[in-house]
Amino acid sequence: MRITYGPWGETIDELADAARRAERAGAEVVWVPELYRSATVPVAALAYATESARLGTGIALAFTRSPLVTALEALDLDEISGGRFVLGLGSGVRRLNEDWHHARFGKPVAHMRETVRNIRAFWAEARTGKAIDLPGVHEPMRIRGYRRLFHQEREAIPVYLAAMGPMMTRLAGEIGDGWISHELHSPQYLATVVLPNLAEGLAQAGRPRGSLDVVASVLCAVDDDPAVARRWAAGTVGFYGSVRTYADFWAAHGLAAEHDAVLGAFRAGAAADDLAAAVPDRMVEAVTAAGTAEDVRRRILAFDGIADSVKLSPASHGMAPSEIRACQDRLIALMAVL
């Protein structure tokens, strides 16, 4: 099982330092999310801060950029990193796309299929001057008279898809080079819900299981006092628990009532980053790795034999920067001995 990492930094310099330390501790991929920063610009900074780890967007929003812009950014980042870039894409939820970005959401599975198709077609033809004419409901692409003469590190960059719902998960199995889980996850959910859907997608495309990198995200909170660690992790659980469309995920863990309580606190006016008090330990224990270093180590290793890779990241929502730093330092130290 490969170890990968999602660093935290209050500044880009701090993010780069965390990425360097994670690389030295054995991280094979460093992932950058998109919410409080863009996903792509920090990857460019990390390309100069690291040497061997691959660098991925984990994840970039697929529908808030045109496929052409995404393809160009990926080519630039692949060049800057010397062929180490991985394009991780996700749909996000409707509210995020339409209310925050004024972006088309449509039917997200069909939209994602056309988006990935267009990106790969552009990479393949960007230097040839050949016309691209791709029909589509969501992302038609027609390009003529275009030839990109700049250096192109690779014609095919790995594309990983983030997915929670069954249809998007099947699509990841069908067309993705990898699948990335939600930030909150569990070995049980991966084995019983996700892998069967990925297998359906692989079978649809006639692809072997080894062609897909299955990446399980593990949200980690490490402290000598397990109660402190659980409260740190509760902030991130509450943040994502405020999303109504994740109801099936919580129900699969037997936590529908607990999820409803978090939603109720959010609707009553609590900020998404301030919902830790509404999150019981049972929710934290089900979908995170929180506790002492040994507790967290056991939880990470529980994915061995189920996932191909784990993406470790420190808890951060609802925490003071000093607490996040302490958590991250302990997690990077733990990575070195996994």
Side-chain angles (χ1 to χ4, degrees), residues 17 38 139 149 158 160 184 196 207 230 247 259-262 273:
D17 178 68
S38 71
E139 296 292 349
L149 299 178
Y160 284 47
L184 305 179
R207 301 173 58 197
R230 287 192 294 269
H259 181 224
D260 285 343
V262 175
D273 263 335

Side-chain angles (χ1 to χ4, degrees), residues 113-333:
R113 183 187 294 277
E114 291 181 12
T115 296
V116 174
R117 174 204 64 180
N118 291 9
I119 290 167
R120 285 175 167 158
F122 181 81
W123 289 338
E125 304 297 347
R127 291 177 57 82
T128 68
K130 183 179 176 181
I132 298 173
D133 191 348
L134 299 171
V137 173
H138 305 280
E139 296 292 349
M141 176 182 274
R142 296 179 181 86
I143 299 176
R144 290 179 173 80
Y146 181 98
R147 187 179 179 194
R148 187 178 186 270
L149 299 178
F150 300 137
H151 173 71
Q152 186 166 330
E153 196 75 23
R154 293 180 290 177
E155 286 188 2
I157 295 167
V159 178
Y160 284 47
L161 297 183
M164 284 192 74
M167 293 178 65
M168 190 69 81
T169 303
R170 290 182 201 120
L171 182 70
E174 182 184 346
I175 70 171
D177 296 298
W179 167 85
I180 311 174
S181 83
H182 188 272
E183 198 72 5
L184 305 179
H185 207 59
S186 70
Q188 163 219 337
Y189 191 79
L190 177 57
T192 62
V193 178
V194 175
L195 289 183
N197 282 310
L198 290 174
E200 283 192 37
L202 287 164
Q204 178 71 24
R207 301 173 58 197
R209 169 65 180 82
S211 64
L212 184 76
D213 183 19
V214 174
V215 184
S217 301
V218 187
L219 190 283
C220 301
V222 189
D223 191 79
D224 291 340
D225 184 341
V228 170
R230 287 192 294 269
R231 287 303 88 200
W232 282 352
T236 300
V237 174
F239 177 83
Y240 289 113
S242 69
V243 181
R244 179 179 54 81
T245 50
Y246 296 159
D248 289 347
F249 171 78
W250 293 109
H253 289 89
L255 294 165
E258 289 83 351
H259 181 224
D260 285 343
V262 175
L263 285 172
F266 181 60
R267 290 169 183 151
D273 263 335
D274 296 329
L275 289 167
V279 175
D281 285 350
R282 184 164 175 255
M283 288 184 83
V284 173
E285 291 162 356
V287 296
T288 75
T292 66
E294 182 56 30
D295 294 334
V296 172
R297 176 181 175 277
R298 282 196 299 267
R299 176 67 173 198
I300 294 168
L301 294 180
F303 284 95
D304 196 11
I306 308 172
D308 301 312
S309 306
V310 288
K311 178 175 76 70
L312 311 180
S313 57
S316 59
H317 291 281
M319 296 167 62
S322 60
E323 294 172 326
I324 305 170
R325 289 187 186 100
C327 185
Q328 176 162 258
D329 290 347
R330 292 166 190 154
L331 179 55
I332 292 174

